[in-house]
Amino acid sequence: MSALFLEIHPKNPEERKIKQVIECLQDGGVIIYPTDTIYGLGCDLHNQRAIEKICQIKGIKPKKANFAFICNDLSHISEYARSLSNATFRLMKKALPGAFTFILQATNKVPKILDNNRKTIGIRVPDHPIPRIIVEKLGNPLITTSIHNDEDEYIEYTTDPELMYEKFKNTVDIVIDGGVGGIKPSTIVDCTNDDFEIVRQGAGILEDFV
């Protein structure tokens, strides 16, 4: 069965349509959704089957996956990240919501979820109403990855929801059209010590917040 193509208003997401997305995620569905940077591929972090499905779509093994968690705000963070210094917390509070993924030390909850031995986790709070309201209504973060591989050059389908739908309609459950996507991913910042190292420069400018 083909995926549902769902247009959602990017500034005022319709409650009825968000409810459809939540039901899909709770049933183990995988969605494509907009963020403040590029479109993402996501699922409920508590659904192992859905995580495995994302790994299949991306052609990666769960133990090798570099997933991030999409959160609505910083309230979930202590559950999944530990040893958060005051400097890191202050930086995240200033920079989020925004175009950053912060790498933090993971609690022992995270390896169980992802079926891997990783000691770190990426945390993302996008400055976009659609993913944040999805997470708020779902009640826990989404596991997320970008819809393209890092090795890919810029590809047109990554900004156009209709082209994403054509490419992924037989592998995901919902493609959300929240308007044209960006071409720059989030900036990845390693905060596992207080030296705030930029792992990947993307849309977020760290110097604005340090």
Side-chain angles (χ1 to χ4, degrees):
M1 199 170 74
S2 285
L4 174 65
F5 187 75
L6 194 62
E7 288 182 43
I8 297 182
H9 196 285
K11 291 205 164 54
N12 299 298
E14 300 89 338
E15 204 172 316
R16 175 182 56 82
K17 292 180 179 179
I18 294 294
K19 192 163 178 256
Q20 273 180 282
V21 175
I22 302 302
E23 285 168 359
C24 170
L25 290 166
Q26 288 170 336
D27 283 345
V30 171
I31 65 169
I32 288 174
Y33 64 96
T35 73
D36 52 349
T37 58
I38 56 180
Y39 269 73
L41 192 59
C43 70
D44 183 342
L45 71 74
H46 293 307
N47 196 300
Q48 196 67 41
R49 191 165 50 89
I51 293 170
E52 285 162 8
K53 189 173 173 184
I54 287 184
C55 289
Q56 280 175 348
I57 294 167
K58 293 276 286 190
I60 48 177
K61 293 183 171 148
K63 287 186 187 300
K64 297 263 176 76
N66 269 327
F67 289 128
F69 287 14
I70 293 272
C71 300
N72 175 42
D73 54 32
L74 298 184
S75 62
H76 286 122
I77 285 178
S78 59
E79 212 174 326
Y80 304 107
R82 63 187 178 81
S83 307
L84 207 63
S85 71
N86 288 338
T88 299
F89 187 74
R90 276 198 303 271
L91 172 63
M92 292 176 72
K93 213 168 173 191
K94 276 195 240 170
L96 297 176
F100 295 94
T101 300
F102 288 103
I103 307 291
L104 306 170
Q105 290 180 24
T107 64
N108 59 6
K109 262 193 165 188
V110 172
K112 289 193 189 90
I113 292 163
L114 292 181
D115 189 29
N116 66 20
N117 299 314
R118 286 192 181 279
K119 304 283 192 292
T120 59
I121 181 64
I123 296 286
R124 182 104 163 74
V125 182
D127 190 11
H128 196 297
I130 290 175
R132 290 179 65 204
I133 200 164
I134 289 170
V135 168
E136 183 191 349
K137 300 291 184 192
L138 184 63
N140 55 254
L142 290 177
I143 286 274
T144 189
T145 182
S146 58
I147 61 163
H148 67 82
N149 296 319
D150 287 342
E151 303 84 63
D152 285 353
E153 291 299 311
Y154 163 62
I155 304 170
E156 192 183 2
Y157 78 78
T158 62
T159 64
D160 184 336
E162 289 186 8
L163 294 179
M164 288 178 229
Y165 180 75
E166 283 309 310
K167 183 173 172 65
F168 291 102
K169 65 183 177 186
N170 296 317
T171 49
V172 304
D173 299 282
I174 294 179
V175 175
I176 295 172
D177 178 357
V180 175
I183 57 170
K184 267 193 178 177
S186 64
T187 295
I188 299 176
V189 185
D190 185 342
C191 295
T192 51
N193 59 51
D194 278 346
D195 289 339
F196 305 144
E197 183 191 343
I198 293 177
V199 178
R200 177 185 73 194
Q201 182 62 58
I205 307 299
L206 191 65
E207 290 75 30
D208 292 348
F209 302 99
V210 175

